[in-house]
Amino acid sequence: MRMDPQELLSLCKRRGFLWPAYDIYGSVAGLYDYGPLGAALKNNIEDHWRRLYVQGEGFQEISCPIVAPEPVFKASGHVDAFSDMYVECTKCGETFRADHLAAGLHANPASLGEDELGKMLRESGVLCPECGGGLTAPKRFNLMFKTSIGAGRGKTAYLRPETAQGMFVNFSQVYRYGREKLPVGAVQIGRAFRNEISPRQGLIRLRELNMMEAELFVHPEDKSWPKFRDVRAEVVPLVPNKGPPSSVALEEAVKAGVIRNEVLAYFMWLTYKFALDIGLDPKRLRFRQHESTEMAHYASDCWDLEAEIGYGWTELVGVADRGCFDVKAHLDHSGADLTSFERYDEPREVEMEVVKPNFGALGPLFKDKSKLIAEALSKLPAEAAKDQDKVTVDVEGEALVVPSSCYEVSKRKEKVSGRKLVPHVIEPSYGVDRLLFSLLDHVYSKKDEYIVLRLKGLVAPIKVGVFPLMARDGLGEIATSIFDSLVKAGIAAYYDDSGSIGRRYARMDEIGTPCCVTVDYDTKSDGTVTVRDRDSAEQVRVKKEEVAEVVKALISGASFESLRSPQD
Amino acid sequence: MRMDPQELLSLCKRRGFLWPAYDIYGSVAGLYDYGPLGAALKNNIEDHWRRLYVQGEGFQEISCPIVAPEPVFKASGHVDAFSDMYVECTKCGETFRADHLAAGLHANPASLGEDELGKMLRESGVLCPECGGGLTAPKRFNLMFKTSIGAGRGKTAYLRPETAQGMFVNFSQVYRYGREKLPVGAVQIGRAFRNEISPRQGLIRLRELNMMEAELFVHPEDKSWPKFRDVRAEVVPLVPNKGPPSSVALEEAVKAGVIRNEVLAYFMWLTYKFALDIGLDPKRLRFRQHESTEMAHYASDCWDLEAEIGYGWTELVGVADRGCFDVKAHLDHSGADLTSFERYDEPREVEMEVVKPNFGALGPLFKDKSKLIAEALSKLPAEAAKDQDKVTVDVEGEALVVPSSCYEVSKRKEKVSGRKLVPHVIEPSYGVDRLLFSLLDHVYSKKDEYIVLRLKGLVAPIKVGVFPLMARDGLGEIATSIFDSLVKAGIAAYYDDSGSIGRRYARMDEIGTPCCVTVDYDTKSDGTVTVRDRDSAEQVRVKKEEVAEVVKALISGASFESLRSPQD
């Protein structure tokens, strides 16, 4: 049975996971605050991801600005193509996604032009869903937040709609830091912004979101991956765009061409492992391959990790082979040399076409500029000069037209030590907010009328509750000192001495705290405390000096059973 | 001798701490990327701060959006007052801070109006510093980046210029999560944006910055702090706004009224401890008290932690008592009840003035609306009605004017269980980028011609370098397995097998790596490796199985000496 998202959002608000942002000013759709529990859960999810990608796989973590000047997104294609169509109610002023209003009228309304879509809405008599008013014709709206840098005329700028571009524009820096070898990868964890027309669905469609993105730069002709050997027998649930869903070993999927290459398959596996590590339910996860019509034109393969939650199957992560598109786009737009250099084992002799200046013809025509023009000609790529009757060269800022009599294109054998390559990009792109919300959906459960979040110790915002049975008789002091020792050991603990023990357990269960420690009168006599397991509600007694160690073991995944000494 | 900031920036760029952002598109002043080393250093600084504030002091970490609708910054005062004046060169189009160009012409040019300042610049014949062109008259420029939320008309919005407002607008949520007790505090670590007119000075004046801010909500009449007892004898270097610099115990400074209250003094101490923990040089740190003219009008006391760096004395942290200003501003603008409730030990009898409706007069005048008007009148604060000849009340959305004949203001004794209070705010506000850059300035040193960053293990981006003396003879395999064990233990390590050992040490010294481990031929016979200390260049041999433990001890602050076994 699917969970009601409103029920989950209500728990989140009540207990401090999420608050609608700017609530005292009427709030803004698509903007949320993470309260103390949400922020801790988010930090824990991000830390684990960093552990896998930065420590585990050696990606370089970098941190780029959110505000970027227009040329960056001109190159990336976002200025021209990152848009949706909207209509506005002429009566109440509300705006709507035009394609959403046409759902049911056409198989893929987002693929239509403004005119076509407008005609369809008009002819179908679609009105404002809020007030029944008339609607304007559809208009395109760029989904980037626009701003301006600097006073006076200023420079047009945008808030990044993804963190990826910061890594693409820095390819050369990343490559150099990685000592000029491929593959090399960078990651970013941070905010991204999408000025959605009418966001709904809580954390699923946000105007300000948190992303974790990895960009792996690989040799365009070598998408093998040595560590793939270690995971080739692993099985992940696949929904390919051709043929039936399958659960086969990754190696088979690659061999059959269902997954395009090893490196893509490896990062699909890492994504799946990450999802299970943080506690998503494997029975409600799948990798769906993009339809060829749905795939960005440059991507050669793309798989979404989807989770089944209250809103239906929802994309959490995209793992794509983006080919050379991104780096090439910035290379073309900026003119910077965003290539890697492949050094051959042995220098190779290659036949090249080169432009050779003809000094006899240059001299009379260009006089004392001949030498500089000859230099400029020698640097021209042969394709630019071949079969042309003239070329234009730049000499000291001046554009000079040089007739073909002044040069010839000839073949020459040369020893070259390697070649320049534009790297391909494999991109695993994670939506933190969607992961967090889907995780809460998957761990939400009820025991009688009480809510229990079955969060794993790895990600739980509070790892342990500490309670004195009574605040009096010195029990409070003992509990406080246990609490202090846990904090000192770096364990997120919560002290609670109010209400019945049952109520205190219920409060901790509701926010996903894996275990609780209670100090009672026996503690004073034998120095032991009760440790209670959230999921089984079982209890064991342990020495109070061992509490930090026991909690650490439980967080790291030790079973509660393993705590029992043989005589229990 | 002061460090040349350009020399430091050059190291930062070369080694991957910092890159000018969007460099391939010509870069943008005031925007930097953190490369892999900078991002790791920044994460380590932030993690330690989180340890002190969240784990150590129990602040709630929350995470609010960067984009905020206009009313938030209308209330905070930023829309009206967060601005600088600029002039534009009529020839080259460059913009400049008008007050900066008037430096030397007036003691405090920023305090002048546009006209006055313009007159002064004109009469002094100030021209464009870049090209000597003429300058426009000064204009005010709001320093917030402006944008718009949503399609169609959209809502005016800004990028937050500080993280603080997110915590003020959420006071009620934070208070409730803290179980409705004062003091209660929240923190945020995140980006803030200031559209500076012409940023210079690298990381010191950024358009996009990283902040760590804490907002402690306290009882307006009780600024004591129990934990102050533990630090009252501590000494921090003070430069008060009256009298000479002093280094006295905090307790004395509070008693003498130099520091306004205990809680402010405590957080100044915590700030100082934090600065020393991460490795700033105590000889180049001081707390400077704001001049009364410099202090925001609402602040009752404010101290800046300043560091002496290449740019001179530079503000890194501000610790301020902001009184009730912030919460009151949002209470007034939003109408939300942003108060705390102080419950008395015993209910108290108080004499209150209340508005009493006069039904005899209301009935004939207002007919069937009388009852609703009477209710509205009873809810009016007495001050609003007293000595007025009429009041306006809102009844079902209608504003009704009610003459004073329809009510009277009378005194009544009531038992009340407590009172509502608008909390005061103590704010420690940290600039992460300035802390990071100042830290690099303070730890930068030279040994012969080599650069050594004397970063502490706590914050160093790489904790240990791992080198095989030779890649051959199986030394590479041993070194790799040590490297893998370090990574598995969560220690940031760097593997290097190229170049001479001396050069590898130098590379690690230059990025502040505290120690290096070298595998040599003795490792094969006796299983020991060399551990070398960065600062003393001393070496000891330890068993290869103990490397992770030894490195962990060094990071946690153990002295290199303590590693020596007695027979060494």
Side-chain angles (χ1 to χ4, degrees):
Chain A
M1 201 201 66
R2 275 191 191 160
M3 141 118 248
D4 174 6
Q6 290 313 317
E7 192 179 324
L8 180 54
L9 275 171
S10 146
L11 171 76
C12 286
K13 287 177 201 171
R14 185 161 48 82
R15 292 310 311 270
F17 283 94
L18 294 172
W19 304 321
Y22 315 116
D23 205 20
I24 63 170
Y25 291 105
S27 80
V28 178
L31 296 181
Y32 275 86
D33 298 311
Y34 283 105
L37 296 177
L41 179 56
K42 174 171 163 290
N43 285 346
N44 294 342
I45 290 173
E46 291 175 350
D47 284 347
H48 187 60
W49 193 85
R50 185 177 278 128
R51 217 170 287 136
L52 293 189
Y53 276 83
V54 180
Q55 290 174 32
E57 304 291 336
F59 281 73
Q60 302 167 24
E61 181 174 0
I62 69 173
S63 180
C64 304
I66 284 165
V67 171
E70 186 160 44
V72 173
F73 298 115
K74 229 15 211 172
S76 69
H78 286 91
V79 169
D80 296 324
F82 189 60
S83 62
D84 281 334
M85 286 176 281
Y86 76 101
V87 293
E88 198 169 347
C89 173
T90 53
K91 199 165 143 203
C92 72
E94 191 65 68
T95 51
F96 304 91
R97 280 271 295 266
D99 57 332
H100 285 181
L101 296 186
L105 302 175
H106 186 273
N108 184 7
S111 67
L112 301 176
E114 287 102 304
D115 294 346
E116 262 179 305
L117 186 54
K119 190 158 170 266
M120 180 180 297
L121 291 173
R122 212 167 47 244
E123 290 177 354
S124 309
V126 174
L127 296 171
C128 172
E130 297 287 328
C131 77
L135 298 171
T136 60
K139 266 185 253 173
R140 285 242 152 241
F141 177 66
N142 192 293
L143 298 180
M144 287 192 293
F145 282 95
K146 195 173 185 172
T147 187
S148 175
I149 301 174
R153 274 160 298 189
K155 274 184 199 165
T156 299
Y158 298 93
L159 307 193
R160 65 183 180 197
E162 57 181 24
T163 71
Q165 300 304 325
M167 299 180 269
F168 299 142
V169 300
N170 276 314
F171 167 68
S172 295
Q173 308 279 18
V174 169
Y175 181 60
R176 180 143 31 97
Y177 185 85
R179 305 179 82 166
E180 311 198 339
K181 281 187 288 248
L182 291 185
V184 67
V187 302
Q188 262 198 101
I189 299 178
R191 296 277 170 93
F193 297 77
R194 298 180 182 184
N195 200 357
E196 298 284 352
I197 289 163
S198 55
R200 307 271 186 276
Q201 301 191 317
L203 284 203
I204 302 307
R205 196 163 292 280
L206 287 172
R207 282 176 163 145
E208 183 168 340
L209 47 147
N210 294 278
M211 299 185 84
M212 308 185 290
E213 293 191 293
E215 309 298 334
L216 183 70
F217 301 101
V218 300
H219 191 296
E221 291 151 21
D222 180 7
K223 295 182 182 174
S224 65
W225 192 251
K227 282 173 82 177
F228 182 68
R229 281 180 60 87
D230 307 335
V231 305
R232 61 189 167 179
E234 301 279 348
V235 173
V236 302
L238 301 179
V239 182
N241 59 20
K242 289 192 194 77
S246 77
S247 283
V248 298
L250 285 170
E251 190 171 32
E252 276 181 63
V254 173
K255 269 193 192 143
V258 173
I259 300 174
R260 194 61 72 94
N261 54 57
E262 275 188 7
V263 60
L264 202 59
Y266 181 81
F267 284 95
M268 287 169 65
W269 171 80
L270 191 65
T271 296
Y272 192 64
K273 172 186 156 52
F274 171 79
L276 301 192
D277 281 356
I278 63 172
L280 284 157
D281 176 2
K283 290 190 296 298
R284 286 181 274 176
L285 288 178
R286 68 181 188 194
F287 273 104
R288 191 181 66 78
Q289 189 173 31
H290 278 206
E291 298 294 331
S292 50
T293 53
E294 173 189 18
M295 200 130 49
H297 61 276
Y298 47 83
S300 68
D301 199 4
C302 183
W303 294 82
D304 286 347
L305 179 73
E306 297 184 333
E308 194 182 22
I309 59 172
Y311 296 114
W313 283 98
T314 302
E315 176 197 351
L316 307 185
V317 184
V319 186
D321 181 340
R322 301 176 58 96
C324 69
F325 178 81
D326 306 289
V327 179
K328 181 85 169 43
H330 287 294
L331 184 155
D332 289 344
H333 279 77
S334 70
D337 181 11
L338 302 180
T339 59
S340 60
F341 188 74
E342 180 185 26
R343 189 169 295 278
Y344 300 138
D345 295 336
E346 296 283 321
R348 293 183 194 170
E349 190 161 87
V350 293
E351 197 176 64
M352 310 175 67
E353 286 188 315
V354 291
V355 180
K356 272 180 67 176
N358 177 350
F359 284 97
L362 275 171
L365 265 176
F366 293 101
K367 309 280 181 318
D368 51 355
K369 285 186 183 151
S370 301
K371 198 160 165 260
L372 290 171
I373 292 172
E375 275 172 24
L377 287 170
S378 312
K379 284 181 193 155
L380 281 185
E383 312 84 66
K386 208 173 167 184
D387 306 326
Q388 305 290 322
D389 57 358
K390 60 177 186 295
V391 295
T392 305
V393 294
D394 180 89
V395 171
E396 292 180 328
E398 196 181 350
L400 297 173
V401 176
V402 182
S404 61
S405 58
C406 293
Y407 60 85
E408 59 178 323
V409 177
S410 62
K411 288 191 176 157
R412 199 170 66 197
K413 288 203 171 168
E414 257 190 35
K415 285 230 169 182
V416 294
S417 59
R419 59 173 173 160
K420 287 184 174 185
L421 296 169
V422 176
H424 280 205
V425 168
I426 304 293
E427 178 190 77
S429 171
Y430 292 60
V432 179
D433 315 283
R434 289 177 170 208
L435 279 160
L436 185 148
F437 191 77
S438 302
L439 176 57
L440 290 175
D441 179 299
H442 284 195
V443 300
Y444 189 98
S445 69
K446 280 199 171 164
K447 201 155 65 180
D448 307 323
E449 73 270 47
Y450 295 107
I451 296 167
V452 180
L453 293 187
R454 297 181 186 272
L455 283 171
K456 289 174 94 170
L458 179 73
V459 295
I462 310 278
K463 309 300 185 191
V464 55
V466 181
F467 314 147
L469 186 65
M470 303 284 169
R472 61 175 186 266
D473 301 330
L475 300 185
E477 284 75 4
I478 300 173
T480 304
S481 87
I482 291 174
F483 174 77
D484 289 343
S485 71
L486 287 165
V487 169
K488 214 171 158 190
I491 297 168
Y494 188 86
Y495 187 86
D496 192 356
D497 62 4
S498 78
S500 72
I501 284 288
R503 213 168 129 189
R504 286 183 250 173
Y505 282 146
R507 279 201 285 261
M508 287 292 107
D509 289 352
E510 205 178 44
I511 62 170
T513 305
C515 61
C516 294
V517 169
T518 301
V519 171
D520 56 23
Y521 288 98
D522 288 349
T523 312
K524 292 179 77 173
S525 55
D526 67 4
T528 66
V529 297
T530 299
V531 178
R532 173 201 179 253
D533 177 50
R534 176 193 64 209
D535 295 338
S536 63
E538 284 185 40
Q539 309 195 343
V540 291
R541 291 195 75 90
V542 305
K543 292 205 189 88
K544 67 177 199 277
E545 295 75 19
E546 291 168 5
V547 166
E549 209 179 312
V550 162
V551 173
K552 272 196 179 167
L554 288 174
I555 299 169
S556 313
S559 74
F560 198 76
E561 282 309 305
S562 68
L563 297 184
R564 290 187 186 286
S565 45
Q567 69 268 32
D568 270 347
Chain B
M1 199 202 64
R2 276 191 190 162
M3 143 117 245
D4 174 6
Q6 290 313 317
E7 194 179 323
L8 180 55
L9 275 171
S10 144
L11 171 77
C12 286
K13 287 177 200 171
R14 188 162 45 84
R15 293 310 312 271
F17 283 94
L18 294 172
W19 303 322
Y22 315 116
D23 204 20
I24 63 171
Y25 292 104
S27 79
V28 178
L31 295 182
Y32 275 87
D33 297 312
Y34 284 105
L37 295 178
L41 179 56
K42 174 172 163 288
N43 285 347
N44 294 341
I45 290 173
E46 292 175 350
D47 284 347
H48 187 61
W49 193 84
R50 185 177 278 127
R51 219 170 285 137
L52 293 189
Y53 276 83
V54 180
Q55 289 174 30
E57 305 290 336
F59 281 73
Q60 302 168 24
E61 181 174 0
I62 68 172
S63 181
C64 305
I66 284 165
V67 170
E70 187 160 42
V72 173
F73 297 115
K74 220 32 200 165
S76 70
H78 286 92
V79 169
D80 296 325
F82 189 61
S83 63
D84 282 333
M85 285 176 282
Y86 77 100
V87 292
E88 199 168 346
C89 173
T90 52
K91 200 166 143 205
C92 72
E94 191 65 68
T95 51
F96 303 92
R97 280 271 296 265
D99 57 332
H100 285 182
L101 295 186
L105 302 176
H106 187 273
N108 185 7
S111 67
L112 302 176
E114 287 102 304
D115 294 345
E116 264 179 305
L117 186 54
K119 189 158 171 267
M120 181 180 296
L121 291 173
R122 214 168 44 243
E123 288 176 356
S124 310
V126 175
L127 296 172
C128 172
E130 297 286 328
C131 77
L135 297 171
T136 59
K139 267 185 252 172
R140 285 241 154 244
F141 177 67
N142 192 291
L143 298 180
M144 288 193 292
F145 283 95
K146 194 172 184 173
T147 189
S148 174
I149 301 173
R153 275 160 298 190
K155 276 184 196 164
T156 299
Y158 298 94
L159 308 193
R160 64 183 181 198
E162 57 180 26
T163 70
Q165 300 304 325
M167 298 180 270
F168 300 143
V169 300
N170 276 313
F171 166 68
S172 295
Q173 308 278 18
V174 169
Y175 181 61
R176 179 143 32 97
Y177 185 84
R179 304 178 83 165
E180 310 197 338
K181 283 188 289 247
L182 291 185
V184 67
V187 302
Q188 261 198 102
I189 299 178
R191 296 279 170 91
F193 298 78
R194 299 180 181 186
N195 200 357
E196 299 283 353
I197 288 162
S198 56
R200 307 273 185 274
Q201 300 190 316
L203 285 205
I204 302 306
R205 198 163 289 281
L206 288 173
R207 282 176 162 146
E208 183 168 340
L209 47 148
N210 293 277
M211 300 185 84
M212 307 184 290
E213 294 191 293
E215 310 297 334
L216 183 69
F217 301 100
V218 301
H219 190 295
E221 292 152 20
D222 180 7
K223 295 183 183 174
S224 66
W225 191 252
K227 281 174 82 176
F228 182 67
R229 282 179 58 88
D230 306 335
V231 305
R232 59 188 169 181
E234 301 279 348
V235 173
V236 302
L238 300 180
V239 182
N241 59 21
K242 290 191 193 78
S246 77
S247 282
V248 298
L250 286 170
E251 191 170 31
E252 276 182 62
V254 173
K255 270 192 192 144
V258 173
I259 301 174
R260 194 59 73 93
N261 54 56
E262 275 189 8
V263 60
L264 203 59
Y266 180 82
F267 283 95
M268 287 169 65
W269 170 79
L270 190 66
T271 296
Y272 192 64
K273 172 185 156 51
F274 172 79
L276 301 192
D277 281 357
I278 64 171
L280 283 157
D281 176 3
K283 291 191 297 296
R284 286 181 274 176
L285 288 178
R286 68 182 188 193
F287 273 104
R288 192 181 65 78
Q289 189 173 30
H290 279 207
E291 299 295 331
S292 49
T293 53
E294 174 189 16
M295 201 131 47
H297 62 275
Y298 47 83
S300 67
D301 199 5
C302 183
W303 294 82
D304 285 347
L305 178 73
E306 297 184 333
E308 193 181 22
I309 59 171
Y311 295 115
W313 284 99
T314 302
E315 175 197 353
L316 307 185
V317 183
V319 186
D321 181 341
R322 301 176 59 95
C324 69
F325 177 81
D326 306 288
V327 179
K328 182 84 167 43
H330 287 295
L331 184 154
D332 289 344
H333 279 76
S334 70
D337 180 12
L338 302 181
T339 58
S340 60
F341 188 75
E342 181 187 25
R343 187 170 295 280
Y344 300 138
D345 295 337
E346 296 283 322
R348 293 183 196 171
E349 190 162 84
V350 293
E351 195 176 65
M352 310 175 68
E353 287 189 315
V354 290
V355 180
K356 272 181 68 177
N358 177 350
F359 284 96
L362 276 171
L365 265 174
F366 293 101
K367 309 280 183 313
D368 52 355
K369 283 187 184 153
S370 303
K371 196 160 166 261
L372 290 173
I373 292 173
E375 276 172 25
L377 286 170
S378 314
K379 283 181 195 155
L380 280 185
E383 311 85 65
K386 208 174 168 184
D387 306 326
Q388 306 290 321
D389 57 358
K390 61 178 186 298
V391 295
T392 306
V393 295
D394 181 88
V395 171
E396 293 181 326
E398 196 182 349
L400 296 173
V401 176
V402 182
S404 60
S405 58
C406 293
Y407 59 86
E408 58 178 324
V409 177
S410 62
K411 288 194 175 158
R412 198 169 68 195
K413 287 204 173 168
E414 258 190 34
K415 285 230 169 184
V416 293
S417 59
R419 59 173 173 160
K420 287 184 174 186
L421 294 169
V422 177
H424 279 205
V425 168
I426 305 293
E427 178 189 79
S429 170
Y430 293 61
V432 179
D433 316 283
R434 289 178 171 208
L435 279 160
L436 184 148
F437 191 76
S438 302
L439 176 57
L440 290 174
D441 179 300
H442 284 195
V443 300
Y444 189 98
S445 69
K446 281 200 172 164
K447 199 155 68 180
D448 307 321
E449 73 270 49
Y450 297 106
I451 296 166
V452 181
L453 293 187
R454 297 182 187 273
L455 284 171
K456 289 174 94 170
L458 179 74
V459 294
I462 309 278
K463 310 299 185 191
V464 54
V466 181
F467 314 147
L469 185 64
M470 303 284 166
R472 60 174 186 268
D473 301 331
L475 300 185
E477 284 75 6
I478 301 173
T480 303
S481 87
I482 292 174
F483 173 78
D484 289 343
S485 71
L486 287 165
V487 169
K488 214 171 157 188
I491 297 167
Y494 188 86
Y495 187 86
D496 192 356
D497 61 5
S498 77
S500 72
I501 285 289
R503 216 168 128 188
R504 286 183 250 173
Y505 283 146
R507 279 201 284 261
M508 288 292 107
D509 289 352
E510 205 177 42
I511 62 170
T513 305
C515 61
C516 294
V517 169
T518 302
V519 171
D520 56 21
Y521 288 97
D522 288 348
T523 312
K524 292 180 76 173
S525 53
D526 67 6
T528 66
V529 297
T530 299
V531 178
R532 174 201 178 252
D533 176 49
R534 176 194 63 208
D535 296 339
S536 64
E538 281 184 43
Q539 308 196 344
V540 291
R541 290 195 75 90
V542 305
K543 291 206 189 89
K544 67 178 199 280
E545 294 74 20
E546 291 169 5
V547 166
E549 209 178 312
V550 162
V551 172
K552 272 195 178 165
L554 288 173
I555 298 169
S556 314
S559 74
F560 198 76
E561 282 309 306
S562 67
L563 298 184
R564 288 188 188 286
S565 44
Q567 68 270 32
D568 269 349

